[in-house]
Amino acid sequence: MQPNTLLDALLDEAGISHAGLAARVNQVGRARGLSLRYEHTAVARWLKGQRPRGQVPDMICEVFAARLRRVVTLDDIGLGVPGEPAPPQGSSLSGFVERATALWRSDEQQRRHIIEAAAVTGTPAVMPVWEWENPPEDSDVSREGRTRVSLADIEMLKSAREHYELMYRKAGGIATRSRVVGFLNAETAPLLRGAYNDTLGRQLHRATGGLVAVAGICAYDSDAHGLAQRYFHQALRLAKASGDRGLGAYVIALLVNQSLYMSEHRQAVAFAEAALRAAGGQLTPALAADLYAMQAKAYAHLGDATNALSCIRRAESEAQRIRPGHEPDETGYVQPGLVNVQVAEALLRLGDVAAAHENAAAAVDTPAHDRGRVHRLAMLSQIELRRGEADRAARTAVRMVERARGMESQRLRDRLRVAREHLVTSGCADAAEAARLIDGALRVPL
């Protein structure tokens, strides 16, 4: 049995205790001529995944509907008919909000079945992208609720996204994730369930989408790939509700990056193509440059040099069009030099070591935040080893380790481990010393 996270989240939203729900169900039963004697222990069993018998699921819906002053379905309380598929994310925005906030609550509570879930592949991975790209659109996202949402609330969400993104860059996703998820539960969930008109609601969903995307990035950086994917899919649904195609394309770029990590290279190409095709006039040069650069890496892994080189040219062309101050906040990660390091990786895969080195060196010579610099130095060190420059590669690796200090990130640890493997095979004394430094950094548990 899987814990019923939806029922748990609704209890929290309604402010009803386990004993309180049992008493209310008994009361509804009496009105239907039933003699029920449920206690808090029964509710605890329902939360663990046990399905109550007979009419009780319907009565639970009635209790919550009266308390929350809205229609509550069996799917909303996690007690839909067994064997029937769950409704798609696009079917009901209010239903999506309840499922999304239930996930945040489960993540904050460190529920293992949520945190350790594997990433989906095939149709379940593709459908959220397809639903984002295709009709129907949300004609009205307004909602009635107990808390009235204001523009000040939306500005708070935007500030929080910027705050946690900066924290992620400085401290890593492992250290940042619990902070973001705590904020989603404490501050964002009540706003999504609040009262707002269509115009304000679209702004609210956009701001929430940007924040949820950061939660996904932190989960990805923590090696919780199934959870990260669910956050990215949530952010994509929120982007659709906001009507902001550019935000959706940004979220798809995050899915492309994850697909590359999971070696789903054809999926990475297809996702990037969907973002480039569907974002239209809301696709900015920075985002286009990143999407084309990641497509180039995917094609290179597939052995398609023609398409890889074509995407490299497009990425470089878009990068030249980037105008600081004319990009949305989310694309701030596309800093000068990012495309260079992406291109370097694609070229190295294609076997053009000289051109890869040129791009990697240019990336390292360009200012970047510490996290970005670690990745750039790791790439340069790997290429220097391929060129037979073990001493130079060792010095670059030492700089990389120094930059990575204080960051809690599984992705950076992956970079350090790969760099170490390459260094120890070189037989160079400096390389051995750099490998020992990496060992010291990896010895500290996260």
Side-chain angles (χ1 to χ4, degrees), residues 103-114:
L103 176 71
W104 305 346
R105 181 174 169 79
S106 294
D107 187 8
E108 187 173 31
Q109 293 174 342
Q110 296 286 291
R111 297 287 177 85
R112 289 183 62 184
H113 74 285
I114 293 291

Side-chain angles (χ1 to χ4, degrees), residues 26 65 87 90 128 135 150-151 168 172 251 261 263 270 338 362 365 367 406 429-430 442:
N26 292 340
S150 68
L151 284 173
Y168 157 77
V251 175
Y261 177 80
S263 298
L338 175 71
D365 289 341
D430 287 346
L442 294 176

Side-chain angles (χ1 to χ4, degrees), residues 24-140:
R24 286 172 171 82
V25 168
N26 292 340
Q27 184 178 3
V28 172
R30 283 196 295 274
R32 297 186 182 191
L34 300 173
S35 178
L36 303 177
R37 293 180 176 84
Y38 284 114
E39 297 180 351
H40 66 93
T41 52
V43 178
R45 291 195 297 272
W46 302 341
L47 291 171
K48 289 178 181 178
Q50 184 184 88
R51 182 182 177 83
R53 298 177 180 178
Q55 303 176 41
V56 175
D58 292 318
M59 289 188 277
I60 295 172
C61 289
E62 186 175 331
V63 168
F64 282 118
R67 180 77 168 190
L68 299 172
R69 298 180 183 177
R70 66 170 187 264
V71 174
V72 176
T73 68
L74 292 174
D75 287 321
D76 292 336
I77 63 171
L79 293 174
V81 179
E84 288 191 1
Q89 285 193 355
S91 62
S92 165
L93 187 56
S94 62
F96 160 77
V97 167
E98 298 313 317
R99 293 190 295 276
T101 53
L103 176 71
W104 305 346
R105 181 174 169 79
S106 294
D107 187 8
E108 187 173 31
Q109 293 174 342
Q110 296 286 291
R111 297 287 177 85
R112 289 183 62 184
H113 74 285
I114 293 291
I115 297 170
E116 297 177 4
V120 297
T121 57
T123 300
V126 173
M127 280 305 294
V129 176
W130 187 89
E131 289 176 352
W132 167 75
E133 186 177 2
N134 293 282
E137 305 300 323
D138 293 289
S139 59
D140 184 358

Side-chain angles (χ1 to χ4, degrees), residues 289 292-293 295-296 299 306-316:
Y292 280 126
Q295 264 196 326
Y299 278 125
T306 300
N307 274 316
L309 292 172
S310 174
C311 287
I312 286 173
R313 288 192 292 272
R314 292 182 178 184
E316 291 173 338

Side-chain angles (χ1 to χ4, degrees), residues 5-15 64 68-70 72 76 93-106 141-149 153 157 183-197 201 204-205 208 238:
T5 56
L6 288 170
L7 181 59
D8 192 23
L10 277 176
L11 278 170
D12 181 62
E13 180 189 356
F64 282 118
L68 299 172
R69 298 180 183 177
R70 66 170 187 264
V72 176
D76 292 336
L93 187 56
S94 62
F96 160 77
V97 167
E98 298 313 317
R99 293 190 295 276
T101 53
L103 176 71
W104 305 346
R105 181 174 169 79
S106 294
V141 302
S142 62
R143 182 167 176 148
E144 293 298 326
R146 288 181 288 183
T147 304
R148 182 153 298 279
V149 178
D153 294 320
L157 296 183
F183 182 89
L184 286 172
N185 278 296
E187 304 293 341
T188 313
L191 295 177
L192 278 182
R193 297 183 182 122
Y196 40 83
N197 60 28
L204 173 63
H205 286 81
T208 302
L238 289 160

Side-chain angles (χ1 to χ4, degrees), residues 167-182:
M167 183 184 295
Y168 157 77
R169 289 179 177 177
K170 289 182 176 180
I174 294 174
T176 307
R177 184 169 134 244
S178 63
R179 302 287 294 276
V180 183
V181 175

Side-chain angles (χ1 to χ4, degrees), residues 229-240:
Q229 191 181 52
R230 291 180 71 174
Y231 275 123
F232 294 150
H233 290 167
Q234 285 185 4
L236 200 55
R237 180 65 184 91
L238 289 160
K240 179 155 187 159

